[in-house]
Amino acid sequence: MADEVVLLDFWPSMFGMRVRIALAEKGIKYEYKEEDLKNKSPLLLQMNPIHKKIPVLIHNGKPVCESLIIVQYIDEVWKDKSPLLPSHPYQRAQARFWADFVDKKVYDVSRKLWTTKGEEKEAAKKEFFETYKILEGELGDKPYFGGETFGYVDLALVTFYSWFYAVETFGEFSIEAECPKIIAWAKRCLQKESVAKTLPDQKKVYEFVGQMRKRRWDSAWIQRLTVRTLTECRTTVDCIRDADIVFQPYSSFLLERPEVFRAVELSRLRIWIRSPRSWELLMGERTLRQLGGEALVPVDPPRLMTIEDYIPRAPSDSYVEGVEAYPDLIQAGHALPGVSSGEIERLENEILRLQLELSVSEDRHAADMDRVQGEMARMQMEATQRDGAMAQMQADLVQRQRDLDSRDAEVARFAAAVQRLEEQLQGMGITPVTGAGSSGFGQTSSTPPPDPVSRDWFFDDSPST
Ligand SMILES: N[C@@H](CCC(=O)N[C@@H](CS)C(=O)NCC(=O)O)C(=O)O
């Protein structure tokens, strides 16, 4: 049965490139699957549930993770062509040592170049060249690290060459000027088809790094990463079920404040998750790495859990425990005599928490004041409007009173005229039909005349009375 080989990868990854070169060297056909590391596929999460990283080689359905382990696996399984590791145990051990050195040093020193500034950046440059000088020493006058032929260490290191333009641009130096042997060696490696076809264009990698740097301050990006981290976390942490988690995103007004954004999102990178036991999970390290490791903080950051070890601890656990588990987090010279690093960490966190609380309270206070002032202004306006309406009503009343007075005067005039007419009629011996006294209409000045129409006229039957 033919081998089924699938590679989960991401194009700019120097780790993924190692596997691609090894497969090319061995002439193995495989299916390449590009991963979106911002939105990892269920397959990647299933195949590399521990680190959730590319590259992953899936050989006949079974995953192999970690680039150097994958390369060794490929070399062992397809051993008939282009051996990568030396056959002698001692030389094999040496090759493994140098590949491990590349993993432990080269990646970090490159990354520091675009994540630091000032003195730190100068120190990073120095470290970068020291590292490559050590490698140049190991290469000596050999064409390749392994000797006459391209091998395991060459493959482990040459993939970093595709990042050299980015490193030089952000580091503001020339690698060739300082380490000409390394450049000559890389160019030699590039003559191999397996390398030339695998390594992406250096400018393309540079653009990719530039985008990564820009995204660093984009809150939506970070928010998305943290949400994703949580989603992934749900698949790993047994004690927390989906329903238990309430993700508490930072309110938008907090995110709009650059200093809070920096402090919360980058320095501490803390996500609060409420679970029934009110545990707090810290996912700083993960988010930090997702950002390309560009966030630099004094103690960076106090991880109570990491991607390798998503173990939530109760908030009551001392920070010492978390920090001691990761001694490299504590900056040199940071410790004070007689004060444990955990204590400093705890105090720093407390200060940060209080600063945040203070800034939040200040904001709330300012917002409350604005609201109260707005309310008062509104009430004053309403009162002024009400005063105006009252004045208008009073004016209306006065006018209505005047109208009534003038109507009364008119009525009195009419009444006097009627009176005069009645008197004239009476003088002529005629009793007026309708009386209107001087006191107004409808009042009789004498008894009313008898009904001119007989009641009998209306009824056929004589009335009973
Ligand atoms: N030590 C690992 C490193 C692999 C690695 O860092 N992969 C990165 C891409 S270059 C990754 O998948 N990152 C995703 C993540 O950290 O979530 C190896 O050699 O394979």
Side-chain angles (χ1 to χ4, degrees), residues 192-209:
K192 291 196 74 72
E193 197 185 327
S194 60
V195 179
K197 284 202 166 157
T198 300
L199 262 50
D201 180 41
Q202 292 198 352
K203 296 261 169 67
K204 208 174 146 207
V205 173
Y206 165 72
E207 276 167 29
F208 168 76
V209 176

Side-chain angles (χ1 to χ4, degrees), residues 13 15 18 37 40 52-55 66-67 286 289-290:
S13 168
F15 305 107
R18 288 172 173 172
L37 294 180
K40 292 174 190 168
K52 304 177 181 72
K53 287 182 183 182
I54 58 91
E66 289 293 303
S67 60
R286 173 60 196 287
R289 204 132 42 78
Q290 291 284 8

Side-chain angles (χ1 to χ4, degrees), residues 101 105-114 120-136 157 160-161 163-169 171-179 182-183:
F101 175 84
K105 288 292 282 184
V106 176
Y107 179 69
D108 270 0
V109 294
S110 314
R111 204 191 57 187
K112 272 189 201 158
L113 288 171
W114 57 76
E120 262 185 307
K121 190 168 174 173
E122 286 310 307
K125 272 187 208 175
K126 199 164 159 267
E127 204 185 340
F128 181 89
F129 287 123
E130 275 167 13
T131 306
Y132 275 96
K133 287 269 176 228
I134 293 173
L135 286 165
E136 275 194 340
L157 182 63
F160 287 83
Y161 182 70
W163 285 62
F164 272 15
Y165 181 72
V167 165
E168 288 181 318
T169 313
E172 295 162 289
F173 57 69
S174 152
I175 300 175
E176 192 157 22
E178 298 278 335
C179 302
I182 283 291
I183 300 293

Side-chain angles (χ1 to χ4, degrees), residues 365-382:
H365 176 71
D368 283 352
M369 287 298 286
D370 280 359
R371 209 171 27 75
V372 168
Q373 276 171 0
E375 191 70 5
M376 274 175 61
R378 195 182 54 75
M379 279 163 70
Q380 264 174 0
M381 198 146 62
E382 275 180 9

